[in-house]
Amino acid sequence: MVESPSAAALPQPSGRSQATQIPLSFHPSFKPDEIKIDVENLGIFYSDGTESLRGITLAIPKQQITVLFGPAGGGKSTFLRTLNRLNDLADVVSLEGHVRIDGEDILDPKTDVIALRRRVGMVFARPVVLPMSIRQNLLYGLELRGDRSESHADELIESSLRSAALWEEVHDRLNEPAVSLSGGQQQRLCLARVLVLEPDIILLDEPTSGLDPISTGKVENSLQMLKRNYTIVIVPHSIQQAARIADYAAFFLDGQMIEYSRGPDLFTNPRHPKTQDYVEGRFG
Amino acid sequence: MRNSKFVESLITAFIKTAGYSAIVFVTLIFIFLLREGAPATIEVPPSNLFQLRWYPIEDYYGILPLIGGSVVVTIGAALFAVPLGLLTAIYIAEIAPRWAREVLKPLVEVLGGLPSVMLGFIGILVITPFMRTAFNLPTGLTALTGALILGGMAIPTIVSVAEDALDAVPKTYRDASLAMGATAWQTIWRVTLPAARSGVLTAIMLGIGRAIGETMTVMMVTGNAPVFPTGLNALIKPTRTMTATIAAEMGEVANGSVHYHVLFLIGIVLFLISLGVNLAAASVVFRQKKRAERILS
Amino acid sequence: MKVSRAAQRKRTQQYGFWGMTLMAIATVVPIVMIVGFVFAQGIPGISLEFLTAMPRDGMRAGGIFPAIIGTFWLTLGTAIVAVPLGVGAAIYLSEYAPDNRVTRTIRIAIINLAGIPSVVYGLFGLGLFVLFLQFGTSILAGSLTLAIMTIPVIISTAEEALRAVPSSFRVVSVSLGGTKWQTIRKVVLPQALPGILTGVILGLERAAGETAPILFTVASFFLPRLPSSLFDSTMALPYHLFVISTQVPGMPVRIQYGTAVVLLTFVLSMNLIATVVRSRARAKRQW
């Protein structure tokens, strides 16, 4: 399927988004084969009016860490949940635009949403371990898929736990209840759980917000290793975290995307006045 | 894979059907009560239905004495069960130490599970002789006896619903009251109980609903006299409730006879009464929820 | 000596607390006394023969085996119908039902079903199952009637148990590629099972002890043989107790108390099982 040139391929400064007055400026340029997720004019409205999105257009590159940051209620979580169609669970009044992953529009009603969610894994803000053993947690996704092969499972478990920097701590107690782990360990378990399904894209929504600095560091390190093989989109829980790990960063405010560029550039040299205000701590 | 999708849609269909089944059942019950009871409205003129003699053998179908019997016994039960039940609920929820709670709650639950025929049995063998000797009566089968036992049966309902309501009052209310210098005792009566007002009201209504609907116990201990209760004396005389009438006479009635239809008519009356009580209780809960939502939003 | 306000208030509280303690005891002691009394009077009459033999001499001697078997079959029949429908409806309300008028109507219907007097259920069972569908006074008619009476009880406890399971589990399961039913089957239902089980047991306990619904739909007093099919009528413990305590002259008190003890044991043991299930589940819970 030939990709129509989206706003992402245009050099900056680009034109205005269709829905709003705020100029859609300062968007990095990518070659078409560098793009993993191509979002075009995404708009989504909930029935209770919270966290809607308007006119979001951006392209997320492969095998990089893309950070979405901004004040609370800006729509970052909503955007993330659109990428794996988790929004379907909420009361959505209207949905418009296109979100193309590897060229296919996942907002199309014919999309196999189940398969999508295996390709696009998600780690939530609070570690949610299922009330089972560590091993069962990790294998849960495979069980849903109908996989029952034992040997394959063990390899996957080990490699996922290693990638999440958790193998050393739990390899000898895989059959213990997952709730017996500490908060930081539980969150890394959630990451490993996603990795078992061998996704392409990993979404993380403030994954370290409840964690101590050491666990936070471990998770951030894991992400740096993981980006070699996965496309990572993360909502950080602080600007400092964003600045630490972002290859690319997008600033979300009130349901719109204000600015999007290479990570280091955006934090040291934000171009839009609102981005400047936020980065310098004048609000948020 | 395709197979499991089919199975899933089958199961989902069953679940949805089960969900709607409650409506189906209520409708069915109403329809069949109506089917067998409506003829009575034609066969028996209102002047007969609304008089004070229930004597079907001679074609007297006055249901007023039966309603009166139900009312007397229910009020008696309520007078007994509401204070005791509420106080017990308050005790369990607010005052009792932890170990006492763990003992009291299961015990009350046991009382709630006792079959009504069992309590009627005890009533006949133990309580009626007691009533006879204590009050010097010709027979111990009286409205009061029924009211007492019925009250005992309503208490568990009142206790469990009221206790839940009291438990649901946020701790912050109590803390605020104590912080202002009130004693625990004052807090209970001036803060916690009023806050749980609607849940407590619901508990009382459900308890009364249970009392109205009781059959076997009243049939066994209130005697067999469908006489309209007049004056306080009626308490210590035998009486008949609507429920007991149906249970006692249905077995001896010819299908399709007038008597048969009238018994079903009484069933309709009972159905409507319980409908009224339950709708009232439910609306109290709904209104409370709305108010809470408004306060919290 | 003037007593200060504070001391007065403290004294009120003390009296009040003591008074309420006494009242709570007064409410509870009769329960223990009744149960104890029945057991004390009835246990002497219990013997293997009593439990396993057929009655003789117009119920005045022999055993109550048919009543025990009858109650067993009725409870089983009730469970077969009420559990799938009740749990299914609870799953619907907790996991599928949208927040609209139809759902509210369903809930009102359930509240009503829960409040209908048991004798009215008996009338309904007579009208629909015994007469209209021509099942006759049978285990089938009795079980169906008892089942419809039990379903609202199961629904309310089961729904509460399902709702108690944290919603985050559901979101996680879906995010890992689970369908709605997979999520329910693998996570929600297993976690809610103890609560559901408690509700089922308590519901069946009530069904086993009820007399009015089976008066016109299934119960017989004197049956020379055990039921052999769904369409047979049968004896049942609660009905048996009712008849032998009110309708049969010259009935030995020993047999009356013995029957009461058997019924009470049946009911109390279900209560016990439910309590044990509930407390064990609370201890083992991983959330």
Side-chain angles (χ1 to χ4, degrees), chain C residues 178-226:
Chain C
T179 64
K180 189 159 201 151
W181 173 244
Q182 276 181 317
T183 304
I184 296 175
R185 178 166 60 96
K186 291 177 181 293
V187 182
V188 180
L189 211 46
Q191 296 303 310
L193 208 55
I196 295 178
L197 213 58
T198 310
V200 166
I201 294 176
L202 291 177
L204 291 178
E205 171 193 335
R206 184 183 161 198
E210 280 286 345
T211 318
I214 60 175
L215 272 179
F216 328 124
T217 55
V218 64
S220 273
F221 182 51
F222 185 62
L223 269 188
R225 49 174 170 65
L226 296 176

Short mmCIF file of all heavy atoms in Angstrom, two decimals, chain C residues 178-226:
data_model
loop_
_atom_site.label_atom_id
_atom_site.label_comp_id
_atom_site.label_asym_id
_atom_site.label_seq_id
_atom_site.Cartn_x
_atom_site.Cartn_y
_atom_site.Cartn_z
N GLY C 178 -6.64 -10.50 25.35
CA GLY C 178 -7.72 -11.38 25.77
C GLY C 178 -9.07 -10.86 25.30
O GLY C 178 -9.29 -9.67 25.24
N THR C 179 -9.96 -11.79 24.98
CA THR C 179 -11.33 -11.37 24.68
C THR C 179 -12.07 -11.21 26.00
O THR C 179 -11.58 -11.58 27.06
CB THR C 179 -12.06 -12.43 23.86
OG1 THR C 179 -12.17 -13.61 24.65
CG2 THR C 179 -11.34 -12.74 22.58
N LYS C 180 -13.25 -10.66 25.92
CA LYS C 180 -14.03 -10.43 27.14
C LYS C 180 -14.30 -11.74 27.88
O LYS C 180 -14.09 -11.83 29.09
CB LYS C 180 -15.34 -9.77 26.76
CG LYS C 180 -16.11 -9.29 27.94
CD LYS C 180 -17.09 -8.22 27.53
CE LYS C 180 -17.47 -7.40 28.73
NZ LYS C 180 -17.82 -6.05 28.44
N TRP C 181 -14.72 -12.74 27.15
CA TRP C 181 -15.05 -13.98 27.84
C TRP C 181 -13.80 -14.65 28.39
O TRP C 181 -13.80 -15.21 29.48
CB TRP C 181 -15.81 -14.92 26.91
CG TRP C 181 -16.02 -16.27 27.51
CD1 TRP C 181 -15.53 -17.45 27.07
CD2 TRP C 181 -16.73 -16.58 28.72
NE1 TRP C 181 -15.91 -18.49 27.90
CE2 TRP C 181 -16.64 -17.98 28.92
CE3 TRP C 181 -17.44 -15.82 29.65
CZ2 TRP C 181 -17.23 -18.62 30.00
CZ3 TRP C 181 -18.02 -16.47 30.73
CH2 TRP C 181 -17.92 -17.84 30.90
N GLN C 182 -12.68 -14.58 27.66
CA GLN C 182 -11.44 -15.15 28.18
C GLN C 182 -11.06 -14.48 29.49
O GLN C 182 -10.66 -15.13 30.45
CB GLN C 182 -10.29 -14.94 27.18
CG GLN C 182 -10.20 -15.98 26.09
CD GLN C 182 -9.03 -15.70 25.17
OE1 GLN C 182 -8.79 -14.57 24.78
NE2 GLN C 182 -8.30 -16.74 24.82
N THR C 183 -11.22 -13.16 29.52
CA THR C 183 -10.90 -12.43 30.74
C THR C 183 -11.78 -12.89 31.90
O THR C 183 -11.31 -13.12 33.01
CB THR C 183 -11.09 -10.92 30.52
OG1 THR C 183 -10.31 -10.51 29.41
CG2 THR C 183 -10.70 -10.13 31.74
N ILE C 184 -13.07 -13.03 31.61
CA ILE C 184 -13.98 -13.46 32.67
C ILE C 184 -13.62 -14.86 33.12
O ILE C 184 -13.51 -15.16 34.32
CB ILE C 184 -15.43 -13.41 32.17
CG1 ILE C 184 -15.84 -11.99 31.84
CG2 ILE C 184 -16.38 -14.00 33.21
CD1 ILE C 184 -17.21 -11.88 31.24
N ARG C 185 -13.40 -15.74 32.16
CA ARG C 185 -13.19 -17.15 32.50
C ARG C 185 -11.88 -17.36 33.23
O ARG C 185 -11.79 -18.15 34.16
CB ARG C 185 -13.21 -17.98 31.22
CG ARG C 185 -12.96 -19.46 31.44
CD ARG C 185 -13.32 -20.26 30.20
NE ARG C 185 -12.55 -19.85 29.04
CZ ARG C 185 -11.44 -20.45 28.63
NH1 ARG C 185 -10.98 -21.49 29.30
NH2 ARG C 185 -10.80 -20.02 27.57
N LYS C 186 -10.81 -16.65 32.83
CA LYS C 186 -9.50 -16.95 33.37
C LYS C 186 -9.14 -16.12 34.59
O LYS C 186 -8.30 -16.52 35.38
CB LYS C 186 -8.43 -16.72 32.30
CG LYS C 186 -8.49 -17.73 31.18
CD LYS C 186 -7.45 -17.38 30.12
CE LYS C 186 -7.50 -18.36 28.97
NZ LYS C 186 -7.08 -19.70 29.38
N VAL C 187 -9.73 -14.93 34.72
CA VAL C 187 -9.33 -14.08 35.84
C VAL C 187 -10.49 -13.73 36.76
O VAL C 187 -10.47 -14.02 37.95
CB VAL C 187 -8.68 -12.77 35.32
CG1 VAL C 187 -8.24 -11.92 36.49
CG2 VAL C 187 -7.52 -13.09 34.43
N VAL C 188 -11.53 -13.13 36.20
CA VAL C 188 -12.59 -12.60 37.05
C VAL C 188 -13.34 -13.69 37.79
O VAL C 188 -13.50 -13.66 39.01
CB VAL C 188 -13.58 -11.76 36.20
CG1 VAL C 188 -14.67 -11.20 37.08
CG2 VAL C 188 -12.84 -10.64 35.50
N LEU C 189 -13.81 -14.67 37.04
CA LEU C 189 -14.63 -15.73 37.64
C LEU C 189 -13.88 -16.51 38.72
O LEU C 189 -14.40 -16.70 39.82
CB LEU C 189 -15.14 -16.67 36.54
CG LEU C 189 -16.49 -17.34 36.75
CD1 LEU C 189 -17.51 -16.34 37.22
CD2 LEU C 189 -16.97 -17.95 35.43
N PRO C 190 -12.64 -16.96 38.45
CA PRO C 190 -11.93 -17.68 39.50
C PRO C 190 -11.77 -16.86 40.78
O PRO C 190 -11.88 -17.38 41.87
CB PRO C 190 -10.56 -17.98 38.87
CG PRO C 190 -10.78 -17.92 37.41
CD PRO C 190 -11.86 -16.93 37.19
N GLN C 191 -11.52 -15.55 40.62
CA GLN C 191 -11.34 -14.73 41.81
C GLN C 191 -12.66 -14.51 42.54
O GLN C 191 -12.69 -14.34 43.75
CB GLN C 191 -10.74 -13.37 41.43
CG GLN C 191 -9.34 -13.47 40.86
CD GLN C 191 -8.39 -14.16 41.81
OE1 GLN C 191 -8.31 -13.81 42.97
NE2 GLN C 191 -7.67 -15.15 41.31
N ALA C 192 -13.76 -14.48 41.80
CA ALA C 192 -15.06 -14.24 42.43
C ALA C 192 -15.69 -15.52 42.92
O ALA C 192 -16.72 -15.48 43.61
CB ALA C 192 -16.00 -13.56 41.42
N LEU C 193 -15.09 -16.64 42.58
CA LEU C 193 -15.74 -17.92 42.88
C LEU C 193 -16.11 -18.15 44.34
O LEU C 193 -17.23 -18.57 44.61
CB LEU C 193 -14.85 -19.07 42.38
CG LEU C 193 -15.60 -20.34 42.01
CD1 LEU C 193 -16.69 -20.02 40.98
CD2 LEU C 193 -14.65 -21.37 41.44
N PRO C 194 -15.23 -17.87 45.29
CA PRO C 194 -15.63 -18.10 46.68
C PRO C 194 -16.88 -17.32 47.06
O PRO C 194 -17.80 -17.86 47.68
CB PRO C 194 -14.43 -17.63 47.49
CG PRO C 194 -13.29 -17.70 46.55
CD PRO C 194 -13.82 -17.42 45.20
N GLY C 195 -16.93 -16.06 46.67
CA GLY C 195 -18.11 -15.25 46.97
C GLY C 195 -19.35 -15.80 46.31
O GLY C 195 -20.42 -15.87 46.91
N ILE C 196 -19.20 -16.22 45.06
CA ILE C 196 -20.34 -16.79 44.34
C ILE C 196 -20.80 -18.07 45.03
O ILE C 196 -21.99 -18.30 45.23
CB ILE C 196 -19.96 -17.08 42.87
CG1 ILE C 196 -19.66 -15.79 42.15
CG2 ILE C 196 -21.06 -17.84 42.18
CD1 ILE C 196 -19.24 -15.98 40.71
N LEU C 197 -19.82 -18.87 45.41
CA LEU C 197 -20.15 -20.13 46.07
C LEU C 197 -20.92 -19.89 47.35
O LEU C 197 -21.92 -20.56 47.64
CB LEU C 197 -18.85 -20.88 46.38
CG LEU C 197 -18.90 -22.39 46.32
CD1 LEU C 197 -19.36 -22.84 44.95
CD2 LEU C 197 -17.54 -22.97 46.63
N THR C 198 -20.46 -18.92 48.14
CA THR C 198 -21.17 -18.59 49.38
C THR C 198 -22.61 -18.26 49.08
O THR C 198 -23.53 -18.74 49.74
CB THR C 198 -20.50 -17.39 50.06
OG1 THR C 198 -19.12 -17.62 50.16
CG2 THR C 198 -21.09 -17.17 51.43
N GLY C 199 -22.82 -17.42 48.08
CA GLY C 199 -24.18 -17.03 47.73
C GLY C 199 -25.02 -18.22 47.29
O GLY C 199 -26.19 -18.35 47.67
N VAL C 200 -24.41 -19.10 46.50
CA VAL C 200 -25.15 -20.28 46.02
C VAL C 200 -25.56 -21.15 47.20
O VAL C 200 -26.70 -21.60 47.31
CB VAL C 200 -24.29 -21.07 45.02
CG1 VAL C 200 -24.88 -22.45 44.78
CG2 VAL C 200 -24.18 -20.33 43.71
N ILE C 201 -24.60 -21.38 48.10
CA ILE C 201 -24.90 -22.26 49.24
C ILE C 201 -26.02 -21.66 50.09
O ILE C 201 -26.95 -22.36 50.49
CB ILE C 201 -23.64 -22.47 50.10
CG1 ILE C 201 -22.61 -23.24 49.29
CG2 ILE C 201 -23.97 -23.20 51.37
CD1 ILE C 201 -21.30 -23.43 50.01
N LEU C 202 -25.93 -20.36 50.36
CA LEU C 202 -26.96 -19.75 51.18
C LEU C 202 -28.32 -19.77 50.47
O LEU C 202 -29.36 -19.96 51.09
CB LEU C 202 -26.56 -18.32 51.54
CG LEU C 202 -25.38 -18.23 52.50
CD1 LEU C 202 -25.00 -16.79 52.75
CD2 LEU C 202 -25.73 -18.90 53.82
N GLY C 203 -28.28 -19.58 49.17
CA GLY C 203 -29.54 -19.63 48.42
C GLY C 203 -30.15 -21.02 48.46
O GLY C 203 -31.36 -21.18 48.68
N LEU C 204 -29.32 -22.04 48.26
CA LEU C 204 -29.83 -23.41 48.29
C LEU C 204 -30.30 -23.79 49.69
O LEU C 204 -31.25 -24.56 49.85
CB LEU C 204 -28.76 -24.39 47.81
CG LEU C 204 -28.43 -24.27 46.33
CD1 LEU C 204 -27.33 -25.25 45.95
CD2 LEU C 204 -29.66 -24.53 45.48
N GLU C 205 -29.63 -23.23 50.69
CA GLU C 205 -30.05 -23.50 52.06
C GLU C 205 -31.48 -23.02 52.26
O GLU C 205 -32.31 -23.70 52.86
CB GLU C 205 -29.10 -22.77 53.01
CG GLU C 205 -29.54 -22.78 54.45
CD GLU C 205 -28.73 -21.79 55.27
OE1 GLU C 205 -27.58 -21.49 54.87
OE2 GLU C 205 -29.24 -21.33 56.30
N ARG C 206 -31.77 -21.84 51.75
CA ARG C 206 -33.12 -21.32 51.88
C ARG C 206 -34.12 -22.19 51.12
O ARG C 206 -35.20 -22.50 51.61
CB ARG C 206 -33.15 -19.90 51.35
CG ARG C 206 -34.49 -19.28 51.56
CD ARG C 206 -34.59 -17.89 51.00
NE ARG C 206 -36.03 -17.57 50.85
CZ ARG C 206 -36.51 -16.61 50.10
NH1 ARG C 206 -35.67 -15.85 49.42
NH2 ARG C 206 -37.79 -16.39 50.03
N ALA C 207 -33.72 -22.60 49.91
CA ALA C 207 -34.63 -23.41 49.11
C ALA C 207 -34.94 -24.73 49.79
O ALA C 207 -36.07 -25.22 49.77
CB ALA C 207 -34.00 -23.67 47.74
N ALA C 208 -33.92 -25.30 50.43
CA ALA C 208 -34.12 -26.59 51.09
C ALA C 208 -35.10 -26.49 52.24
O ALA C 208 -35.82 -27.43 52.54
CB ALA C 208 -32.78 -27.13 51.58
N GLY C 209 -35.14 -25.32 52.89
CA GLY C 209 -35.96 -25.19 54.09
C GLY C 209 -37.36 -24.65 53.85
O GLY C 209 -38.17 -24.61 54.76
N GLU C 210 -37.66 -24.27 52.62
CA GLU C 210 -38.94 -23.63 52.36
C GLU C 210 -40.06 -24.63 52.22
O GLU C 210 -39.90 -25.68 51.61
CB GLU C 210 -38.85 -22.80 51.08
CG GLU C 210 -38.18 -21.47 51.26
CD GLU C 210 -39.07 -20.47 51.97
OE1 GLU C 210 -40.28 -20.72 52.07
OE2 GLU C 210 -38.54 -19.45 52.43
N THR C 211 -41.20 -24.28 52.75
CA THR C 211 -42.35 -25.17 52.66
C THR C 211 -43.39 -24.65 51.68
O THR C 211 -43.90 -25.38 50.85
CB THR C 211 -43.02 -25.32 54.04
OG1 THR C 211 -42.02 -25.46 55.02
CG2 THR C 211 -43.94 -26.51 54.06
N ALA C 212 -43.72 -23.36 51.80
CA ALA C 212 -44.84 -22.82 51.02
C ALA C 212 -44.71 -23.05 49.51
O ALA C 212 -45.70 -23.41 48.86
CB ALA C 212 -45.01 -21.34 51.33
N PRO C 213 -43.53 -22.87 48.92
CA PRO C 213 -43.48 -23.07 47.47
C PRO C 213 -43.72 -24.51 47.06
O PRO C 213 -44.11 -24.77 45.92
CB PRO C 213 -42.07 -22.65 47.09
CG PRO C 213 -41.56 -21.87 48.23
CD PRO C 213 -42.23 -22.42 49.44
N ILE C 214 -43.46 -25.45 47.97
CA ILE C 214 -43.63 -26.84 47.55
C ILE C 214 -44.97 -27.43 47.98
O ILE C 214 -45.30 -28.55 47.60
CB ILE C 214 -42.48 -27.74 48.08
CG1 ILE C 214 -42.42 -27.72 49.60
CG2 ILE C 214 -41.16 -27.31 47.49
CD1 ILE C 214 -41.37 -28.70 50.12
N LEU C 215 -45.71 -26.65 48.74
CA LEU C 215 -47.01 -27.13 49.21
C LEU C 215 -47.90 -27.60 48.07
O LEU C 215 -48.50 -28.66 48.13
CB LEU C 215 -47.75 -26.02 49.96
CG LEU C 215 -47.50 -25.87 51.45
CD1 LEU C 215 -48.32 -24.70 51.97
CD2 LEU C 215 -47.91 -27.14 52.18
N PHE C 216 -47.97 -26.76 47.05
CA PHE C 216 -48.91 -27.11 45.98
C PHE C 216 -48.20 -27.68 44.76
O PHE C 216 -48.86 -28.04 43.79
CB PHE C 216 -49.71 -25.89 45.52
CG PHE C 216 -49.98 -24.90 46.59
CD1 PHE C 216 -49.61 -23.59 46.44
CD2 PHE C 216 -50.60 -25.28 47.77
CE1 PHE C 216 -49.87 -22.66 47.42
CE2 PHE C 216 -50.86 -24.36 48.77
CZ PHE C 216 -50.49 -23.04 48.59
N THR C 217 -46.89 -27.69 44.78
CA THR C 217 -46.22 -28.06 43.55
C THR C 217 -45.57 -29.43 43.58
O THR C 217 -45.29 -30.00 42.54
CB THR C 217 -45.12 -27.04 43.19
OG1 THR C 217 -44.24 -26.92 44.29
CG2 THR C 217 -45.73 -25.70 42.87
N VAL C 218 -45.28 -29.94 44.76
CA VAL C 218 -44.60 -31.22 44.73
C VAL C 218 -44.89 -32.10 45.94
O VAL C 218 -44.81 -33.31 45.84
CB VAL C 218 -43.07 -31.01 44.60
CG1 VAL C 218 -42.55 -30.30 45.84
CG2 VAL C 218 -42.36 -32.31 44.42
N ALA C 219 -45.27 -31.45 47.03
CA ALA C 219 -45.19 -32.21 48.28
C ALA C 219 -46.34 -33.17 48.48
O ALA C 219 -47.50 -32.85 48.26
CB ALA C 219 -45.10 -31.25 49.46
N SER C 220 -45.96 -34.32 48.93
CA SER C 220 -46.94 -35.32 49.35
C SER C 220 -46.66 -35.68 50.78
O SER C 220 -45.53 -35.54 51.24
CB SER C 220 -46.78 -36.58 48.52
OG SER C 220 -47.52 -36.51 47.36
N PHE C 221 -47.65 -36.13 51.45
CA PHE C 221 -47.38 -36.54 52.81
C PHE C 221 -47.11 -38.03 52.90
O PHE C 221 -46.07 -38.46 53.37
CB PHE C 221 -48.52 -36.15 53.74
CG PHE C 221 -48.24 -36.54 55.16
CD1 PHE C 221 -47.05 -36.17 55.75
CD2 PHE C 221 -49.13 -37.29 55.89
CE1 PHE C 221 -46.75 -36.52 57.06
CE2 PHE C 221 -48.84 -37.64 57.20
CZ PHE C 221 -47.66 -37.26 57.78
N PHE C 222 -48.01 -38.80 52.42
CA PHE C 222 -47.80 -40.21 52.60
C PHE C 222 -47.57 -40.87 51.25
O PHE C 222 -48.49 -41.02 50.45
CB PHE C 222 -49.01 -40.83 53.29
CG PHE C 222 -48.78 -42.28 53.61
CD1 PHE C 222 -47.76 -42.66 54.47
CD2 PHE C 222 -49.54 -43.25 53.02
CE1 PHE C 222 -47.52 -43.99 54.75
CE2 PHE C 222 -49.32 -44.60 53.30
CZ PHE C 222 -48.30 -44.96 54.17
N LEU C 223 -46.31 -41.22 51.00
CA LEU C 223 -45.99 -41.89 49.76
C LEU C 223 -45.44 -43.27 50.06
O LEU C 223 -44.42 -43.39 50.74
CB LEU C 223 -44.93 -41.11 48.98
CG LEU C 223 -45.40 -40.07 47.99
CD1 LEU C 223 -44.21 -39.58 47.20
CD2 LEU C 223 -46.44 -40.65 47.04
N PRO C 224 -46.03 -44.27 49.55
CA PRO C 224 -45.54 -45.61 49.87
C PRO C 224 -44.22 -45.96 49.21
O PRO C 224 -43.60 -46.94 49.53
CB PRO C 224 -46.67 -46.53 49.37
CG PRO C 224 -47.37 -45.74 48.34
CD PRO C 224 -47.25 -44.31 48.72
N ARG C 225 -43.79 -45.17 48.25
CA ARG C 225 -42.53 -45.50 47.60
C ARG C 225 -41.73 -44.22 47.33
O ARG C 225 -42.26 -43.13 47.38
CB ARG C 225 -42.80 -46.23 46.29
CG ARG C 225 -43.83 -45.48 45.47
CD ARG C 225 -44.07 -46.03 44.11
NE ARG C 225 -45.22 -45.39 43.51
CZ ARG C 225 -45.27 -44.10 43.20
NH1 ARG C 225 -44.25 -43.32 43.44
NH2 ARG C 225 -46.35 -43.59 42.65
N LEU C 226 -40.46 -44.43 47.01
CA LEU C 226 -39.60 -43.29 46.72
C LEU C 226 -39.86 -42.78 45.30
O LEU C 226 -40.30 -43.54 44.45
CB LEU C 226 -38.13 -43.71 46.83
CG LEU C 226 -37.67 -44.15 48.21
CD1 LEU C 226 -36.24 -44.63 48.13
CD2 LEU C 226 -37.82 -43.02 49.19
#
